[in-house]
Amino acid sequence: MAIEGGKAKSYTVADIEALPAPFAVYIKNDEHNYVEPDITVICNPDRLDEKGCHGAPDWAVEILSPSSRYMDRVRKLALYEAAGVREYWIVDPQQKSVTVHHFERKSEPVQYNFSEKVKAGIYDEFYVDFSEWK
């Protein structure tokens, strides 16, 4: 994903697609249950069509706001884990922290602060540097 002119744009590398909101993820692979993660990463292009992603994305990122804290930390956390999302990041600009849930590894969540580079667990050698976030 790239930021151009203050707007997020989708970014594609090989068969990996990173898409910013608004983008529908039909998490239970039906037409009635969908979410819109702030950033969605999909490695299987067969899950994509003109309506969105059908089934769990590989990686979901939510950026907390005062109105989304409960939804992102509790409801979406449980939904993403149950649906088979491989990795889920919760970015908290207020606390300047990132909580990484590696569902695929079945490990405890790891919390980072914005001064650290955070490694994406589903990609080798891919890090996100939050130190420039304001």
Side-chain angles (χ1 to χ4, degrees), residues 1-127:
M1 185 181 67
I3 306 293
E4 293 176 10
K7 294 204 173 209
K9 305 274 185 187
S10 69
Y11 181 71
T12 304
V13 176
D15 288 334
I16 299 167
E17 189 85 24
L19 301 153
F23 179 77
V25 175
Y26 295 91
I27 197 81
K28 295 183 179 180
N29 203 13
D30 63 23
E31 295 298 315
H32 305 290
N33 295 290
Y34 74 92
V35 292
E36 289 185 336
D38 292 313
I39 301 171
T40 307
V41 177
I42 299 132
C43 298
N44 181 350
D46 293 337
R47 291 187 193 159
L48 299 171
D49 69 13
E50 67 282 348
K51 291 183 178 181
C53 174
H54 296 272
D58 295 280
W59 181 13
V61 178
E62 296 288 0
I63 301 169
L64 295 182
S65 67
S67 64
S68 74
R69 295 183 87 72
Y70 176 78
M71 178 67 79
D72 294 341
R73 287 183 182 253
V74 178
R75 295 188 69 189
K76 285 186 177 180
L77 174 69
L79 179 64
Y80 291 157
E81 184 174 20
V85 171
R86 295 167 59 195
E87 189 165 335
Y88 177 42
W89 288 19
I90 301 172
V91 179
D92 188 338
Q94 185 178 15
Q95 297 295 316
K96 297 188 182 322
S97 68
V98 181
T99 304
V100 177
H101 297 268
H102 296 284
F103 297 139
E104 186 174 59
R105 296 181 192 166
K106 297 185 179 359
S107 61
E108 292 295 314
V110 179
Q111 187 157 344
Y112 300 89
N113 62 51
F114 277 15
S115 66
E116 301 173 88
K117 288 184 180 176
V118 182
K119 184 180 183 314
I122 65 171
Y123 299 112
D124 292 332
E125 303 303 318
F126 182 82
Y127 293 81

